[in-house]
Amino acid sequence: MTILIIGAGSIGQRHLINIKKIKRKEEIILVEKNNLVRKRISDEHSITSYSTIEKALIKHNISSAFICTPSNMHLKQLKTLIKAKCHIFIEKPLSLNFSEIKKIEKKILGYRYLIMVACNLRFHPGVLKLKKYVDDNMIGKIYYARSQFSHYLPNWRANKNYKKFYSSNSNEGGGIILDAIHEPDYLYWIFGDIKLVSAFSNNISELNIDVEDVAEYTLFHKKNVYSHVHVDYLRRDKIRSCEIIGTKGTISWESKGKNPENIKIKMFNQETQKTKILFKSKNYDLNKTYILQLKHFFDCIDSGRKNMNNFKEASKLINVMDKIKLSSITKKFVKV
């Protein structure tokens, strides 16, 4: 049996290396359309590679496949892989818009193999701690949450021209709203379905990209909780954070920097009027979240358990992202 990785960009290479780290027994093969990149990566890792998915499927019995290409290619490649009857992992986001998902969802109904969309931040200690404290009612009735992700786009990938990233190009699914889908994903995971959104976005920088570089939006969840999100491509010192406010206190998580992260998670207790540090690390390796995510995917394959963030769940979030964009354009509240 064979694991297929489609796309040899940074995330494709990360998954390749991590699959080797967790010592899966399957052979790993690569599909990459760029001949120079394909040869370099296949030589470096001593793996077989092909220029197209179709060529790989002819030669190999694929057990699982990883779609690690630009967002605008995800659904087309998913349709091809469904014919191979294999388990499929798709990098976020599932699609650029919900209308494209509607065209393919009938093909997915009854598909008996796993489909999982990337959600590595759900395996981050900050998000895990937030969810546990909410689920265990540690901070009482929840009023609201405030979430942030800010990271200067030219600093995302060292020694590469940011204008060539998919992030910078609207036709490839760029723009901070969809690029920073981790925030609404984990807020949806913690607080449940979203019924209404209100949003603002703009292009305010000198980055010279054709997509929004800043966005502010509010998600109104069906559980009568609202969560506010700020995301941008602008802040030079990277930060990711969230605080949740409830009747019994406040839990907050903040991660600063990149490779490694400086993390602090703390809780203010209303009864004691004291703040307790729940978790602290000055050198957290974010790759741990990717490894835990991989282990979850393969554990579900091996055990037959259902995986998190399946096609249906990820589709719901793309519908929400569409409504966020619509709200920003119309300057109105939009129902989901």
Side-chain angles (χ1 to χ4, degrees), residues 193-234:
D193 286 338
I194 297 158
K195 61 183 179 180
L196 186 72
V197 302
S198 174
F200 158 83
S201 66
N202 205 350
N203 183 309
I204 62 173
S205 71
E206 296 75 37
L207 291 172
N208 293 319
I209 55 179
D210 70 345
V211 292
E212 78 281 350
D213 52 28
V214 63
E216 301 257 357
Y217 54 87
T218 303
L219 309 172
F220 297 86
H221 300 265
K222 289 183 179 179
K223 292 182 178 179
N224 293 321
V225 173
Y226 77 86
S227 51
H228 182 77
V229 180
H230 170 91
V231 289
D232 68 63
Y233 285 143
L234 311 176

Side-chain angles (χ1 to χ4, degrees), residues 27-44:
E27 176 191 11
I28 302 172
I29 64 171
L30 174 70
V31 166
E32 168 56 52
K33 66 179 182 179
N34 185 303
N35 292 332
L36 292 176
V37 173
R38 184 175 69 253
K39 186 177 187 311
R40 176 173 60 82
I41 299 301
S42 60
D43 288 348
E44 182 179 336

